[in-house]
């Protein structure tokens, strides 16, 4: 592995691009804040998932597949989930199970590899309570009207990640003023649950009565402790999470645990926003596009290629034409692969022209430009097996070119006949022809044509594609 390039990552904590040096190259640790599972993920959420999947793929390449431990959580207890359950009349667990599975499927379709660990918050309530108890014992947390709050005045380093002073925070509009708080910027670790809300009994020594549930920030600190022991290498999330969510994770974890002088993670990475025009895409603005819907019309690789078209820290403006261009570009790759169908790809390393930009703070647009150059070089290549192998190896690290070119050009079903229905009709057509039932064979050709499906008979069988 000595000739691998070094990885450089922009660390939001220092504000600089830094050389990445893991604590232990045999066990590189990565945690990313995952979705709150009360609804479909939007394409902005998918950008975060794809960006950190890209990082995971690069880490696996540099350190080995078995030497990277990646955890991404599911927030399955939250006010928004409770509200969704009240509105629909469904059980909370029915909602969270459904949207957890949909998230996994949809992100899988975008080539997002399953993380090694996918902890759900409700599986770690005991750990969260234990973390709160430690904070209370050490004087960092206090009880007030059924809540347990973190006392930010006890943590002098509060604000180091977001570079916001405690005074600015208190003056800021983003903290909720409440009578049970000592300081306006103190945040909730545990809050009371109403009768009809899910809740867990608090340990007696907290001095509060009744059932309650964890605050969102606490969930990640507890799940990180449960998944990894001690400080982690990389913590990721969208830039909106930098304050207060990540600042609060640092405060909780550093005050409760024994992390030395590491602010929970040694490298903090934040992806930029995906926007619709000038606006951030968000559920509250109502301007959302769902990968779940896009996947009806577009292959997941097209969506992924579009999401990788901007470096992860840069803003990305989402448009229909971005999808169209991405489809066209991938078509050009698949056409070259189709022409190379009879060539067995040689097993090749990832070309450095593609790996090097990815190692430079995940510069995906530059890696994609290098892929275009590789593709254009195939026509002149003397060793076609090596050229094909290089293109496929480059595609694999970016999570594209994973399909059979024939399948690619067949396109998406988008509500029409499925692949298996088409195959069944074609089989019936062959049977009809050999039984000399040409009327039925022609009829099947017409049925397919009416659905925009073109068929082409050749010596090796019948090829088909959606028009
Ligand atoms: P949420 O379910 O809203 O907590 O978001 C899940 C992840 O998506 C977090 O890392 C967010 O920071 C990220 N995210 C949310 N909206 C956007 C957006 N418009 N663009 C990029 N990332 C986003
Ligand atoms: Zn988090």
């Amino acid at each position: 592995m000595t000739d691998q390039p070094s990885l450089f990552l922009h660390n939001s904590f220092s504000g600089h691009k830094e050389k990445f040096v893991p604590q232990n190259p045999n066990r590189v640790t990565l945690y990313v804040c995952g979705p709150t599972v009360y609804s479909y993920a939007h394409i902005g959420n998918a950008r975060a998932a794809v960006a950190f999947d890209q990082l995971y793929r690069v880490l696996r390449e540099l350190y080995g597949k078995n030497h990277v431990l990646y955890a991404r959580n599911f927030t399955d207890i939250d006010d928004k989930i409770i509200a969704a359950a009240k509105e629909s009349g469904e059980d909370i667990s029915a909602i969270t199970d459904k949207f957890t599975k949909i998230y996994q499927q949809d992100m899988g379709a975008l080539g997002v590899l399953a993380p090694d660990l996918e902890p759900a918050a409700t599986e770690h309530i005991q750990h969260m309570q234990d973390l709160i108890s430690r904070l209370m014992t050490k004087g960092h947390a206090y009880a007030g009207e059924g809540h347990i709050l973190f006392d930010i005045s006890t943590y002098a380093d509060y604000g180091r990640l977001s570079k916001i002073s405690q005074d600015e925070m208190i003056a800021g509009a983003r903290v909720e003023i409440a009578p049970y708080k000592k300081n306006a910027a103190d945040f909730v670790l545990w809050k009371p649950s109403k009768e009809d809300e899910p809740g867990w009994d608090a340990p007696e020594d907290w001095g509060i009565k009744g059932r309650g549930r964890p605050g969102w920030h606490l969930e990640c600190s507890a799940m990180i402790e449960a998944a990894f022991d001690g400080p982690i290498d990389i913590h990721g999330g969208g830039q909106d999470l930098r304050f207060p969510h990540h600042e609060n994770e640092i405060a909780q974890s550093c005050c409760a645990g024994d992390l030395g002088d590491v602010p929970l993670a040694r490298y903090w990475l934040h992806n930029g926003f995906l926007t619709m025009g000038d606006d951030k895409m968000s559920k509250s603005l109502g301007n959302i596009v769902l990968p779940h819907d896009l996947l009806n019309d577009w292959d997941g690789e097209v969506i992924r290629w579009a999401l990788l078209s901007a470096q992860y820290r840069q803003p990305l403006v989402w448009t229909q034409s971005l999808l169209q261009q991405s489809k066209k570009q991938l078509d050009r790759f698949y056409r070259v692969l189709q022409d190379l169908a009879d060539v067995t790809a040689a097993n090749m390393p990832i070309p450095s022209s593609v790996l090097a930009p990815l190692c430079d703070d995940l510069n995906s647009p530059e890696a994609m430009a290098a892929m275009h150059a590789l593709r254009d070089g195939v026509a002149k290549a003397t060793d076609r097996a090596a050229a094909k192998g290089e293109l496929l190896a480059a595609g694999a690290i970016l999570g594209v070119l994973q399909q059979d070119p024939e399948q690619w050009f067949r396109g998406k079903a988008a509500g029409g006949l499925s692949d298996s229905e088409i195959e069944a009709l074609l089989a019936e057509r062959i049977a009809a022809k050999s039984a000399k039932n040409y009327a039925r064979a022609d009829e099947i050709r017409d049925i397919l044509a009416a659905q925009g499906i073109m068929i082409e008979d050749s010596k090796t069988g019948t090829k088909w594609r959606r028009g």
Side-chain angles (χ1 to χ4, degrees):
M1 262 183 223
T2 43
D3 54 352
Q4 295 280 31
S6 299
L7 176 62
F8 286 83
L9 298 171
H10 181 275
N11 186 350
S12 306
F13 196 84
S14 66
H16 302 294
K17 191 149 71 175
E18 297 173 13
K19 182 171 175 182
F20 175 68
V21 183
Q23 300 165 101
N24 173 1
N26 290 319
R27 191 172 176 276
V28 179
T29 50
L30 167 66
Y31 180 87
V32 173
C33 301
T36 306
V37 275
Y38 68 106
S39 181
Y40 296 95
H42 61 64
I43 192 74
N45 304 137
R47 182 183 196 196
V50 167
F52 292 107
D53 175 71
Q54 194 55 64
L55 173 63
Y56 182 43
R57 285 169 183 266
V58 171
L59 291 171
R60 280 158 63 103
E61 172 63 22
L62 298 181
Y63 296 96
K65 281 196 172 74
N66 298 325
H67 299 298
V68 184
L69 193 59
Y70 173 24
R72 186 193 60 207
N73 74 298
F74 285 109
T75 295
D76 61 347
I77 174 79
D78 177 90
D79 291 354
K80 284 181 266 181
I81 303 176
I82 296 172
K86 280 187 184 155
E87 205 182 300
S88 72
E90 278 175 281
D91 274 356
I92 287 188
S93 61
I95 294 179
T96 54
D97 284 355
K98 173 178 158 190
F99 287 110
T100 296
K101 287 201 185 76
I102 292 176
Y103 184 84
Q104 288 168 324
Q105 275 164 9
D106 289 348
M107 294 308 116
L110 304 192
V112 173
L113 302 172
D116 302 287
L117 300 167
E118 295 182 274
T122 54
E123 294 162 1
H124 292 281
I125 301 294
Q126 180 66 47
H127 203 124
M128 291 173 203
Q129 292 193 335
D130 174 63
L131 211 156
I132 292 179
S133 294
R134 277 182 276 145
L135 288 172
M136 291 183 89
T137 308
K138 291 181 170 182
H140 293 291
Y142 62 93
E145 294 182 22
H147 297 71
I148 307 289
L149 293 126
F150 186 93
D151 182 348
I152 67 156
S153 69
T154 65
Y155 183 49
D157 285 339
Y158 193 75
R160 271 202 302 171
L161 173 68
S162 49
K163 322 283 183 254
I164 304 175
S165 73
Q166 295 201 10
D167 288 347
E168 282 170 314
M169 264 168 228
I170 291 164
R174 293 185 73 172
V175 291
E176 195 191 337
I177 302 191
Y180 48 80
K181 286 186 180 179
K182 284 191 195 166
N183 305 301
D186 290 352
F187 59 90
V188 167
L189 299 169
W190 190 260
K191 61 178 161 188
S193 291
K194 299 200 189 87
E195 196 103 316
D196 60 345
E197 292 174 346
W200 292 263
D201 288 327
E204 265 179 28
D205 57 357
W206 288 6
I208 56 169
K209 286 206 182 68
R211 290 151 60 253
R213 58 184 190 273
W216 170 44
H217 314 303
L218 181 75
E219 296 176 7
C220 285
S221 284
M223 286 186 273
I224 291 172
E225 270 194 4
F228 311 99
D229 210 14
I232 55 174
D233 286 316
I234 306 174
H235 192 314
Q239 68 182 29
D240 55 331
L241 302 188
R242 188 166 167 179
F243 179 81
H245 183 57
H246 289 163
E247 198 68 71
N248 293 350
E249 280 187 32
I250 292 175
Q252 295 159 159
S253 298
C254 290
C255 291
D258 189 11
L259 302 180
D261 52 11
V262 178
L264 178 58
R266 297 163 63 250
Y267 300 81
W268 285 85
L269 267 61
H270 292 103
N271 67 272
F273 280 140
L274 180 147
T275 60
M276 291 289 268
D278 292 336
D279 296 324
K280 174 193 163 188
M281 181 175 289
S282 76
K283 284 173 189 148
S284 53
L285 288 175
N287 60 354
I288 55 174
V289 172
L290 308 178
H292 192 74
D293 294 337
L294 291 176
L295 284 165
N296 287 326
D297 298 323
W298 302 93
D299 193 281
E301 288 192 2
V302 173
I303 302 170
R304 185 182 177 96
W305 194 252
L307 288 172
L308 291 174
S309 66
Q311 194 260 3
Y312 78 99
R313 295 181 61 231
Q314 302 306 318
L316 173 64
V317 183
W318 189 256
T319 60
Q320 186 73 7
S321 87
L322 176 63
L323 277 169
Q324 286 158 348
Q325 284 164 26
S326 301
K327 166 82 168 74
K328 268 195 198 143
Q329 291 183 11
L330 286 172
D331 279 351
R332 291 179 63 194
F333 285 102
Y334 275 108
R335 215 155 279 136
V336 168
L337 289 174
Q338 201 175 30
D339 291 344
L340 292 171
D342 57 341
V343 177
T344 306
N347 208 353
M348 300 297 286
I350 299 164
S352 63
S353 62
V354 171
L355 187 56
L358 290 176
C359 289
D360 182 14
D361 202 24
L362 305 177
N363 192 338
S364 48
E366 222 172 277
M368 289 155 80
M371 278 200 50
H372 288 298
L374 275 179
R375 182 204 57 222
D376 293 342
V378 169
K380 286 173 249 136
T382 42
D383 186 344
R384 285 159 51 90
K388 182 173 178 180
E390 283 201 322
L391 197 56
L392 289 176
I397 191 139
L398 283 159
V400 295
L401 308 187
Q402 300 298 296
Q403 294 180 34
D404 168 43
E406 292 301 329
Q407 179 63 36
W408 175 265
F409 287 112
R410 281 174 193 162
K412 295 286 286 180
L417 290 172
S418 68
D419 288 9
S420 54
E421 286 165 335
I422 296 169
E423 300 285 358
L425 281 168
L426 288 174
E428 195 194 331
R429 180 167 165 267
I430 291 169
K433 272 188 177 175
S434 56
K436 303 211 165 21
N437 183 354
Y438 298 112
R440 179 61 184 155
D442 288 348
E443 194 180 26
I444 290 171
R445 182 184 273 274
D446 293 345
I447 292 170
L448 293 169
Q451 296 255 352
I453 294 148
M454 268 97 68
I455 57 178
E456 193 187 308
D457 292 316
S458 73
K459 271 183 273 169
T460 50
T462 306
K463 283 186 179 180
W464 62 270
R465 60 179 292 185
R466 296 188 175 87

